[in-house]
Amino acid sequence: MSKIQEALTELRRAPGVKGGALVTADGLMVAQSLDPRFHDEAVAGLTSFLLSTTCKSLADGGMGTCERFVLHATHGRAVFAAVEESFLVVLLDQFADFDGCKAEIDVAVQQLRRSSRLQ
Amino acid sequence: MHLIQRMKIWKELKRLERRAQQEPSPSTFVDLGQVYINLDDAAKAMRVAQDGLALFPDSVELLKLRDFANRSKLKTDVADLAAKLQKTPSAKGYRELAGLQLDLGDAAAAHATCDAWSVRFPGDAGPWLVLAQSRLSNFYRDLSAREGEEAVRCLQRVLSVDAANARGHRLFGELAYRIGAIEAARKHLQAIPVDPAEPEVQAMLRQLSVVQELGDDITALLREAEEHGALPNAPAIPRGGQGREEGMGRIRDALAHIAELAGVRKATYIKGSRALVKGAIRDGKDSFLRVVRVVAKAAHRFARRIDIGNFNKGVIDGPFGHICICSYGEVVAAVQCDQGAATTEILAELQELVAGSLYMAGVES
C-alpha cells in the first residue's frame, strides 16, 4: 500500500470520518478511502468544481489562494486542505467531533505533503 | 424539604427581593430568578425576569433568564399535560401538547404526540395538520425536498379525513403556489371560503393569473426548489412598509455588531441581488462580495450533489485570513477576518443574524 493510501486509510479510522480522498485540482482521483455511499468520480468532480471556483474567485480578487475550506451542511461536513497541487477531501457525518478530528486531519495533510514531495 | 431548610430559603428570598427593590441591577434580578429556578418555580422566575427587563431592557443576562424560565415553564406544562392525557385523552389536549413541544423545539416529541393523537382519534385531521405545519416550516427554512414531500403527504391525509378543511387547503395552496404548481394551487385556494381576515388567499388567487405554471409534479418541483436553493414565487403579499424598514434596521444593527468583533475586517448580509455591507468595503464591486456569492452557490451545489444536505456554514482559510459564510435559502451573511480571529464565535453570530432575519421575514408574512 502506498504512503498516500496508508494516510487516507488511517484518517478514515477517526470517529465520524466517512471517507478521505486526494484529488488533483483538475478532478483526478489520486487515492481514496471512501464510504461506499460516496462515488469516487462524483467526489473528485465536485471537489474540483468547488475548489477551482473558489480559488478562481479568490485569485480574480487578488486575495491569494484557498489553503483550507471547511463546509458544514445539514447532514454532514467536508474539509478540503491544499496538498501541493492537489486537495485532501475529508467527509464527516454531522455528529462528528470536528475539533477532535482536526488534529488527525492535520497529521494526514503533513503525511500527504511529505509523500507528494517524494513521488 | 426539611422545615429549617425551607425557612433558610424563605429568608434568602426575602433578602434578595428586598435587594432587588432597593438596589435594582441586572445581577440582583438574576440572583433572585436563579433561586426561584432552583425551587422549580419557573412562573416566579419569569415574573422576576420581566420585572428586571422593564428596568434593564438590554440586559443579556436577564434575557437569558427569561428564556430559561420560559423553557422551564414550558417543560413543566408539557409534563403536566402529558400526565393528564394519560388519564383522560382528548383531541384538544393533544393539540395543546404538540404545540408546546414545537414551541420547545422538540419536533420528535411533537411527532410522537401526533402519532398517539391520530391513533386515538382517527377521524380528527388535527394531528396531520400539526405535522404538516411542522414539516412546512422546515421546508421553507431549509428548502429540503424531503421535508416538503412529508408536508404534502400530511396535507393529503388532512384532506382525506376532512375534505373541506380550510387550513389544509390554505397550506397546500400556498405551497403549490410558491413552488410553481399553479393548477394545484388554484384548486386548493378556490376551495377556501372567502374570508376578509385572510387577504393573502385573495392576493395569491390574483397572482395565479400572472405567474408561470412550472408543472403539476409536486415532487419534481420540490426537488427543483432544493436544487436551486430558492422558491420560484415570492409570498403573494409583499413584505413592505414599516415592518420591513424595522427589520432592515435590526439586520443593519446586527451586522454592525459583527463588524465590530475582534479581527473582523469586512461584513456583509446578502439577500438576492441586494447586499448590506459594513467594514472596509468601498462599493458593490468589492472582490470579497463576489467571492462570498460564488462560493456560497458552489458550496450549495457540492453539498446537494454529494448528498450531505444543504450547505449552511463554511470557513475558507488563506493568506487573506478567514472568510466565514453562513447561508440559509437565499440569504447569505459573511465576514472576512484576520488570521487567529475566533471563527467559531463569528460563525455563531452570523448564524444568529441569518436565523433572526428569516424569523422576521416569517413573522411579517
Short mmCIF file of all heavy atoms in Angstrom, two decimals, chain A residues 47-74:
data_model
loop_
_atom_site.label_atom_id
_atom_site.label_comp_id
_atom_site.label_asym_id
_atom_site.label_seq_id
_atom_site.Cartn_x
_atom_site.Cartn_y
_atom_site.Cartn_z
N THR A 47 -15.38 18.10 -6.06
CA THR A 47 -14.31 18.79 -5.33
C THR A 47 -13.57 19.74 -6.28
O THR A 47 -13.30 20.90 -5.92
CB THR A 47 -13.32 17.76 -4.75
OG1 THR A 47 -14.05 16.92 -3.88
CG2 THR A 47 -12.19 18.43 -4.00
N SER A 48 -13.28 19.24 -7.47
CA SER A 48 -12.58 20.07 -8.44
C SER A 48 -13.41 21.31 -8.78
O SER A 48 -12.91 22.43 -8.81
CB SER A 48 -12.30 19.24 -9.69
OG SER A 48 -11.98 20.07 -10.75
N PHE A 49 -14.74 21.09 -8.99
CA PHE A 49 -15.63 22.21 -9.30
C PHE A 49 -15.62 23.25 -8.17
O PHE A 49 -15.42 24.44 -8.39
CB PHE A 49 -17.05 21.67 -9.53
CG PHE A 49 -18.12 22.69 -9.33
CD1 PHE A 49 -18.32 23.72 -10.25
CD2 PHE A 49 -18.93 22.65 -8.20
CE1 PHE A 49 -19.29 24.67 -10.05
CE2 PHE A 49 -19.90 23.61 -7.99
CZ PHE A 49 -20.09 24.62 -8.92
N LEU A 50 -15.82 22.76 -6.92
CA LEU A 50 -15.92 23.69 -5.79
C LEU A 50 -14.62 24.47 -5.60
O LEU A 50 -14.63 25.70 -5.44
CB LEU A 50 -16.28 22.92 -4.52
CG LEU A 50 -16.31 23.72 -3.23
CD1 LEU A 50 -17.41 24.77 -3.27
CD2 LEU A 50 -16.54 22.83 -2.02
N LEU A 51 -13.50 23.73 -5.61
CA LEU A 51 -12.25 24.40 -5.28
C LEU A 51 -11.71 25.24 -6.44
O LEU A 51 -11.11 26.29 -6.20
CB LEU A 51 -11.22 23.39 -4.78
CG LEU A 51 -11.68 22.82 -3.44
CD1 LEU A 51 -10.92 21.60 -3.06
CD2 LEU A 51 -11.58 23.85 -2.33
N SER A 52 -11.96 24.81 -7.67
CA SER A 52 -11.48 25.66 -8.76
C SER A 52 -12.29 26.94 -8.79
O SER A 52 -11.75 28.03 -9.02
CB SER A 52 -11.51 24.93 -10.10
OG SER A 52 -12.81 24.50 -10.38
N THR A 53 -13.61 26.83 -8.52
CA THR A 53 -14.46 28.04 -8.48
C THR A 53 -13.99 28.97 -7.36
O THR A 53 -13.85 30.18 -7.55
CB THR A 53 -15.93 27.63 -8.22
OG1 THR A 53 -16.27 26.59 -9.11
CG2 THR A 53 -16.88 28.78 -8.40
N THR A 54 -13.75 28.38 -6.18
CA THR A 54 -13.33 29.17 -5.02
C THR A 54 -11.98 29.84 -5.29
O THR A 54 -11.82 31.05 -5.10
CB THR A 54 -13.23 28.27 -3.77
OG1 THR A 54 -14.50 27.63 -3.59
CG2 THR A 54 -12.88 29.04 -2.52
N CYS A 55 -11.01 29.03 -5.76
CA CYS A 55 -9.66 29.58 -5.98
C CYS A 55 -9.67 30.65 -7.07
O CYS A 55 -8.98 31.66 -6.96
CB CYS A 55 -8.69 28.46 -6.36
SG CYS A 55 -8.38 27.35 -4.99
N LYS A 56 -10.49 30.43 -8.11
CA LYS A 56 -10.53 31.41 -9.20
C LYS A 56 -11.09 32.74 -8.69
O LYS A 56 -10.56 33.81 -8.98
CB LYS A 56 -11.35 30.88 -10.37
CG LYS A 56 -11.25 31.77 -11.59
CD LYS A 56 -11.98 31.20 -12.77
CE LYS A 56 -11.87 32.09 -14.00
NZ LYS A 56 -12.19 33.49 -13.80
N SER A 57 -12.19 32.66 -7.92
CA SER A 57 -12.80 33.91 -7.45
C SER A 57 -11.84 34.64 -6.49
O SER A 57 -11.76 35.87 -6.51
CB SER A 57 -14.16 33.68 -6.80
OG SER A 57 -14.02 32.91 -5.65
N LEU A 58 -11.09 33.87 -5.69
CA LEU A 58 -10.11 34.50 -4.79
C LEU A 58 -8.98 35.14 -5.60
O LEU A 58 -8.58 36.28 -5.34
CB LEU A 58 -9.52 33.46 -3.82
CG LEU A 58 -10.43 32.97 -2.70
CD1 LEU A 58 -9.82 31.76 -2.01
CD2 LEU A 58 -10.68 34.06 -1.67
N ALA A 59 -8.49 34.40 -6.61
CA ALA A 59 -7.39 34.93 -7.43
C ALA A 59 -7.83 36.17 -8.21
O ALA A 59 -7.09 37.15 -8.28
CB ALA A 59 -6.90 33.84 -8.38
N ASP A 60 -9.05 36.14 -8.75
CA ASP A 60 -9.56 37.30 -9.50
C ASP A 60 -9.61 38.55 -8.62
O ASP A 60 -9.44 39.66 -9.10
CB ASP A 60 -10.98 37.02 -10.04
CG ASP A 60 -10.94 36.05 -11.21
OD1 ASP A 60 -9.84 35.76 -11.69
OD2 ASP A 60 -12.02 35.55 -11.61
N GLY A 61 -9.89 38.33 -7.34
CA GLY A 61 -9.98 39.47 -6.41
C GLY A 61 -8.64 39.82 -5.80
O GLY A 61 -8.58 40.64 -4.88
N GLY A 62 -7.57 39.16 -6.24
CA GLY A 62 -6.23 39.43 -5.71
C GLY A 62 -6.08 39.02 -4.25
O GLY A 62 -5.33 39.64 -3.49
N MET A 63 -6.79 37.96 -3.86
CA MET A 63 -6.76 37.58 -2.45
C MET A 63 -5.88 36.35 -2.18
O MET A 63 -5.81 35.87 -1.06
CB MET A 63 -8.20 37.30 -1.96
CG MET A 63 -9.08 38.53 -2.02
SD MET A 63 -10.80 38.15 -1.74
CE MET A 63 -10.85 38.08 0.02
N GLY A 64 -5.25 35.83 -3.21
CA GLY A 64 -4.39 34.66 -2.98
C GLY A 64 -5.13 33.37 -3.27
O GLY A 64 -6.00 33.35 -4.15
N THR A 65 -4.84 32.34 -2.51
CA THR A 65 -5.44 31.04 -2.81
C THR A 65 -6.12 30.44 -1.57
O THR A 65 -5.96 30.96 -0.47
CB THR A 65 -4.38 30.09 -3.39
OG1 THR A 65 -5.02 28.89 -3.75
CG2 THR A 65 -3.29 29.79 -2.39
N CYS A 66 -6.83 29.35 -1.79
CA CYS A 66 -7.54 28.71 -0.67
C CYS A 66 -6.64 27.62 -0.09
O CYS A 66 -6.21 26.72 -0.81
CB CYS A 66 -8.84 28.12 -1.21
SG CYS A 66 -9.64 27.01 -0.07
N GLU A 67 -6.34 27.74 1.19
CA GLU A 67 -5.50 26.72 1.83
C GLU A 67 -6.34 25.65 2.50
O GLU A 67 -5.95 24.50 2.58
CB GLU A 67 -4.59 27.39 2.87
CG GLU A 67 -3.51 28.23 2.20
CD GLU A 67 -2.83 29.20 3.14
OE1 GLU A 67 -3.16 29.24 4.35
OE2 GLU A 67 -1.97 29.96 2.65
N ARG A 68 -7.48 26.07 3.01
CA ARG A 68 -8.38 25.11 3.68
C ARG A 68 -9.80 25.62 3.57
O ARG A 68 -10.03 26.83 3.63
CB ARG A 68 -7.98 24.99 5.15
CG ARG A 68 -8.75 23.91 5.91
CD ARG A 68 -8.30 23.87 7.34
NE ARG A 68 -7.01 23.22 7.47
CZ ARG A 68 -6.81 22.08 8.12
NH1 ARG A 68 -7.80 21.47 8.71
NH2 ARG A 68 -5.61 21.56 8.21
N PHE A 69 -10.74 24.71 3.41
CA PHE A 69 -12.15 25.08 3.33
C PHE A 69 -12.93 24.06 4.16
O PHE A 69 -12.85 22.87 3.91
CB PHE A 69 -12.59 25.04 1.86
CG PHE A 69 -14.00 25.55 1.59
CD1 PHE A 69 -14.46 25.65 0.29
CD2 PHE A 69 -14.87 25.90 2.60
CE1 PHE A 69 -15.74 26.11 0.00
CE2 PHE A 69 -16.15 26.37 2.34
CZ PHE A 69 -16.59 26.46 1.04
N VAL A 70 -13.62 24.55 5.17
CA VAL A 70 -14.46 23.67 5.99
C VAL A 70 -15.90 23.97 5.64
O VAL A 70 -16.34 25.12 5.77
CB VAL A 70 -14.21 23.90 7.50
CG1 VAL A 70 -15.03 22.93 8.33
CG2 VAL A 70 -12.74 23.75 7.83
N LEU A 71 -16.63 22.96 5.19
CA LEU A 71 -18.01 23.16 4.73
C LEU A 71 -18.97 22.39 5.65
O LEU A 71 -18.77 21.19 5.86
CB LEU A 71 -18.08 22.65 3.29
CG LEU A 71 -19.36 22.76 2.49
CD1 LEU A 71 -19.02 22.75 1.00
CD2 LEU A 71 -20.33 21.65 2.77
N HIS A 72 -19.94 23.07 6.20
CA HIS A 72 -20.94 22.41 7.06
C HIS A 72 -22.26 22.34 6.30
O HIS A 72 -22.72 23.36 5.80
CB HIS A 72 -21.20 23.21 8.33
CG HIS A 72 -19.99 23.42 9.19
ND1 HIS A 72 -19.84 22.80 10.40
CD2 HIS A 72 -18.87 24.17 9.01
CE1 HIS A 72 -18.68 23.17 10.94
NE2 HIS A 72 -18.08 24.01 10.10
N ALA A 73 -22.86 21.16 6.24
CA ALA A 73 -24.18 21.03 5.62
C ALA A 73 -25.12 20.37 6.62
O ALA A 73 -24.69 19.96 7.70
CB ALA A 73 -24.06 20.20 4.35
N THR A 74 -26.39 20.28 6.25
CA THR A 74 -27.38 19.78 7.23
C THR A 74 -27.13 18.32 7.63
O THR A 74 -27.39 17.94 8.75
CB THR A 74 -28.81 19.91 6.68
OG1 THR A 74 -28.80 19.60 5.29
CG2 THR A 74 -29.37 21.27 6.88
#
